[in-house]
Amino acid sequence: QVQLVESGGGVVQAGDSLRLSCTASGDSFTRYTIGWFRQAPGEERRFVAAHGWNVGMTYYSRSVKGRFTISRNNAENTVYLQMSSLKPDDSAIYYCATYPIPDTPQVTNVNAYDNWGQGTQVTVSS
């Protein structure tokens, strides 16, 4: 089973940037669509972005589109989430996860993912 580890979180000011990393072990990211989700205290876990395995298509939530960029480095078994123009509302624990279905119609659905990392905390102050 693939194991995922998120890193790169921290405390930043509004308008700053962070790059999160999701690194796999035990398997290659080439086999999976990888999604990023985030969860603030007392909130539901919500979709942020995803990178498809088949053609490398990317997906973004409306709230982050234009500010965040997801990318994949297969040689490093790592998916990155470059976050720019951060806002306090972006504060959350960020998780990456694997999507096991070959097609991607439910790529934004948290329940469609089957394997999760432990998350990395992002805090954006105003």
Side-chain angles (χ1 to χ4, degrees):
Q1 288 288 324
V2 62
Q3 297 181 13
L4 305 178
V5 178
E6 303 93 338
S7 62
V11 180
V12 298
Q13 297 185 94
D16 208 347
S17 299
L18 281 174
R19 188 179 73 165
L20 306 183
S21 299
C22 174
T23 300
S25 62
D27 207 346
S28 172
F29 271 17
T30 61
R31 296 174 56 89
Y32 304 99
T33 290
I34 304 297
W36 282 99
F37 293 77
R38 66 188 184 188
Q39 186 169 23
E43 303 289 337
E44 298 286 339
R45 190 169 298 187
R46 295 183 176 184
F47 173 78
V48 176
H51 195 288
W53 71 270
N54 52 350
V55 296
M57 183 170 292
T58 57
Y59 310 83
Y60 297 95
S61 70
R62 182 179 180 87
S63 63
V64 308
K65 189 174 183 179
R67 299 188 297 120
F68 291 10
T69 301
I70 189 169
S71 62
R72 181 192 298 257
N73 188 321
N74 287 330
E76 298 177 350
N77 285 334
T78 300
V79 169
Y80 300 99
L81 185 68
Q82 178 66 49
M83 307 185 297
S84 300
S85 301
L86 283 163
K87 306 174 181 179
D89 285 348
D90 296 320
S91 297
I93 301 175
Y94 283 71
Y95 301 89
C96 63
T98 55
Y99 181 89
I101 305 174
D103 58 345
T104 59
Q106 294 183 284
V107 71
T108 65
N109 182 3
V110 64
N111 295 315
Y113 290 75
D114 65 348
N115 195 12
W116 297 82
Q118 294 301 306
T120 185
Q121 176 71 53
V122 173
T123 302
V124 184
S125 64
S126 59

